[in-house]
């Protein structure tokens, strides 16, 4: 495993394709999230948080495989993401993950 800062250094401007899924753009935000789960969090099972898109992870969170390893915190004035948090956007067509 590596720490958060080393992950950022290692993968900045690097395309990640964890699942080899043939998409229009091979490098998807969900792939980078899974790589983060593997490298930083030590969660190697690709079923963890696996959904068709980031929006589905948020909207189906309680039924997503591995959700119990995470805490779903809505973005509010007191629910501000911390360094290392996985941030899911659900208001876009497919959502996004940072």
């Amino acid at each position: 495993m590596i720490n958060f800062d080393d992950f950022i250094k290692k993968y900045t401007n690097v395309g990640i394709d964890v699942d080899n899924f043939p998409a229009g753009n091979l490098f998807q935000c969900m792939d980078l999230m899974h790589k983060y789960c593997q490298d930083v969090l030590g969660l190697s099972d690709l079923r963890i948080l696996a959904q068709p898109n980031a929006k589905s992870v948020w909207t189906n969170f309680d039924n997503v495989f591995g959700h119990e390893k995470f805490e779903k915190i809505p973005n509010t004035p007191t629910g501000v993401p911390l360094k290392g948090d996985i941030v899911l956007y659900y208001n876009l067509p497919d959502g996004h993950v940072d």
Side-chain angles (χ1 to χ4, degrees):
M1 288 189 351
I2 61 176
N3 68 38
F4 177 83
D5 292 325
D6 289 340
F7 181 85
I8 297 299
K9 288 176 192 172
K10 184 174 182 176
Y11 293 111
T12 295
N13 296 318
V14 175
I16 301 298
D17 182 19
V18 173
D19 59 6
N20 296 312
F21 185 79
N25 177 356
L26 293 179
F27 309 129
Q28 299 290 317
C29 60
M30 291 288 287
D31 286 315
L32 186 60
M33 178 200 66
H34 280 107
K35 191 66 174 164
Y36 177 79
C37 287
Q38 290 174 339
D39 288 9
V40 178
L41 304 179
L43 304 172
S44 60
D45 190 335
L46 288 178
R47 295 176 300 165
I48 294 174
L49 301 185
Q51 290 286 289
N53 53 49
K55 183 177 185 174
S56 296
V57 174
W58 179 263
T59 57
N60 300 321
F61 184 78
D62 291 337
N63 297 312
V64 173
F65 183 87
H67 76 276
E68 66 280 352
K69 298 179 183 304
F70 301 90
E71 180 181 359
K72 182 179 181 181
I73 303 170
N75 186 18
T76 66
T78 59
V80 179
L82 301 174
K83 179 179 178 178
D85 283 352
I86 296 172
V87 178
L88 297 162
Y89 300 88
Y90 61 89
N91 59 342
L92 303 169
D94 290 324
H96 185 64
V97 61
D98 285 339

